[in-house]
Amino acid sequence: MLHFLSIIIPVYNEEENIAKLNEQICPVLVEFGYNYEIIYVNDGSTDDSLKILNQLADDEHIRIINFMKNYGQSAALQAGFDLACGDVIIPLDADLQNDPKDIKKMIELYDNGFDLVSGWRKGRQDNIIRVLPSKVANFIISHLTGIKLHDFGCTLKVYNAELLKKVRLYGELHRFIPVMVSIYSGGTNFAEIEVNHHKRIFGKSKYNLSRTLRVILDLCTITFLQKFADRPIQFFGGCAFILFLISLVTLILSFGAEFIYTFLVLFLVGWLFLGFAFTALLIGILAELLMRNYYEFSDKRVYKIKNII
Ligand code: UDP
Ligand code: MG
């Protein structure tokens, strides 16, 4: 199948890597014989990355998006996705850790009719402090969301542009793009393939262990969106019910207490939990109102139609 490929590359302080990456990637794309574009997104680099990118811009296939400041990898990818003209979008890192040579086999797999082909860095070349939390995170994400992939964090993936363009990335949600694709577009026709991974030789990784907490928080958002976005009262109502039961049990226990001190503590805790239950219910009702706003004002629907026969 003939494609127009959009390669999206987020760049934050990668001055030593950009020219080498460009040298690697261009021959691979020319070899396909497809039409292609490469969009570099300079995410507020403070080194000479922009200068080097500007030198590449003479090539008619290359476009540069230059951010006002550092907005983060998700924003950089989103900007690239927004501008992409291809029918297939392929993001990859600028730090030479991904291997452009893998694109060929990924496209071949994609052509079997998949909406997404996900790169899996099976022989990942990062230290154990990076790899272990990432393995645990991938296991949890895959089990909680039902999307059976081994490597959500690998940037190198091949996406159906039409589906990807429905996705909106906030915060650091780039690690959850496959889940977002399934939430926003309903597509789950995903495949996975092993890809090469190289050690970072030049420049530094932009992340450290503190991202673990952020990934956990993002995972909460994503799981909530996936399961309850169009029915938040079911989640908050469930919480309210559990809190109400705790309150009821504590209040009943308080009346059987032998000592006045125990009675007072249980009685107060009982009322406190009743307050929590009421608050959870109110949040649920507010979330229902917000959800209606979201769907009705953006003219979105809670369902996605595959086709009408
Ligand atoms: N990146 C970016 N903005 C940021 C952080 C990272 O555009 O705020 C880019 C970075 O230049 C690289 C890619 O995102 O091309 C992945 O970053 P990094 O290699 O630091 O992540 P790691 O491979 O360590 O997970
Ligand atoms: Mg990297």
Side-chain angles (χ1 to χ4, degrees):
M1 201 187 293
L2 215 58
H3 292 296
F4 182 159
L5 308 180
S6 293
I7 312 290
I8 314 296
I9 307 179
V11 177
Y12 180 46
N13 293 345
E14 305 284 4
E15 59 185 0
E16 292 128 306
N17 292 315
I18 302 163
K20 290 186 184 70
L21 175 69
N22 204 61
E23 269 165 36
Q24 281 182 13
I25 202 164
C26 288
V28 171
L29 296 172
V30 170
E31 192 196 316
F32 283 138
Y34 298 153
N35 201 355
Y36 71 90
E37 62 179 355
I38 307 176
I39 303 179
Y40 288 95
V41 187
N42 178 39
D43 182 17
S45 298
T46 49
D47 65 358
D48 278 340
S49 293
L50 181 61
K51 210 162 114 191
I52 297 158
L53 287 174
N54 280 332
Q55 288 161 10
L56 301 179
D58 288 341
D59 182 335
E60 55 172 4
H61 293 104
I62 296 180
R63 285 192 284 167
I64 318 282
I65 301 175
N66 187 27
F67 275 180
M68 297 286 284
K69 64 178 186 100
N70 177 243
Y71 288 99
Q73 193 179 341
S74 283
L77 288 170
Q78 178 76 65
F81 299 162
D82 289 343
L83 230 76
C85 297
D87 64 306
V88 173
I89 298 182
I90 308 171
L92 83 162
D93 287 347
D95 56 0
L96 303 173
Q97 290 201 269
N98 293 135
D99 190 343
K101 287 198 200 81
D102 285 321
I103 294 176
K104 188 169 193 298
K105 64 178 183 190
M106 295 178 88
I107 301 266
E108 279 165 9
L109 183 57
Y110 176 84
D111 277 341
N112 288 326
F114 292 105
D115 295 326
L116 188 167
V117 173
S118 177
W120 175 13
R121 299 163 295 175
K122 205 169 180 187
R124 191 167 163 187
Q125 299 296 315
D126 284 318
N127 62 37
I128 186 84
I129 300 169
R130 295 287 306 279
V131 178
L132 204 66
S134 152
K135 280 209 162 135
V136 176
N138 281 314
F139 179 83
I140 298 174
I141 297 169
S142 152
H143 279 79
L144 273 182
T145 63
I147 295 187
K148 301 285 171 228
L149 296 177
H150 286 90
D151 195 354
F152 287 86
C154 177
T155 309
L156 178 57
K157 298 191 196 302
V158 172
Y159 297 95
N160 173 326
E162 203 186 319
L163 298 192
L164 186 62
K165 276 175 178 276
K166 294 187 173 144
V167 169
R168 290 286 169 273
L169 297 175
Y170 299 98
E172 293 188 17
L173 289 183
H174 58 272
R175 303 186 185 96
F176 296 90
I177 301 179
V179 191
M180 303 288 279
V181 170
S182 89
I183 292 175
Y184 278 83
S185 71
T188 48
N189 188 17
F190 302 162
E192 184 169 58
I193 193 165
E194 276 179 45
V195 292
N196 291 323
H197 191 245
H198 305 292
K199 265 200 161 66
R200 197 189 240 278
I201 314 261
F202 307 106
K204 279 194 292 221
S205 168
K206 311 302 179 294
Y207 303 103
N208 51 36
L209 257 190
S210 73
R211 74 166 145 189
T212 311
L213 178 65
R214 302 201 297 270
V215 172
I216 294 170
L217 293 174
D218 284 343
L219 181 59
C220 294
T221 314
I222 285 289
T223 320
F224 179 82
L225 278 180
Q226 199 192 24
K227 299 196 167 41
F228 299 105
D230 63 340
R231 61 201 71 183
I233 193 71
Q234 291 185 4
F235 174 78
F236 290 104
C239 295
F241 183 67
I242 294 168
L243 291 164
F244 174 72
L245 283 185
I246 297 174
S247 148
L248 203 66
V249 171
T250 325
L251 283 174
I252 291 170
L253 285 177
S254 77
F255 290 111
E258 263 184 64
F259 305 105
I260 182 77
Y261 177 72
T262 327
F263 165 76
L264 273 178
V265 171
L266 288 174
F267 190 72
L268 283 177
V269 169
W271 277 99
L272 198 68
F273 271 84
L274 197 62
F276 290 157
F278 190 61
T279 313
L281 198 65
L282 278 183
I283 294 176
I285 293 168
L286 276 178
E288 282 282 326
L289 289 175
L290 283 176
M291 180 268 292
R292 279 162 178 67
N293 258 353
Y294 170 76
Y295 282 107
E296 286 165 26
F297 284 96
S298 62
D299 219 20
K300 283 197 168 62
R301 293 289 180 271
V302 293
Y303 55 80
K304 278 99 196 165
I305 297 178
K306 197 169 182 184
N307 49 8
I308 298 176
I309 297 153

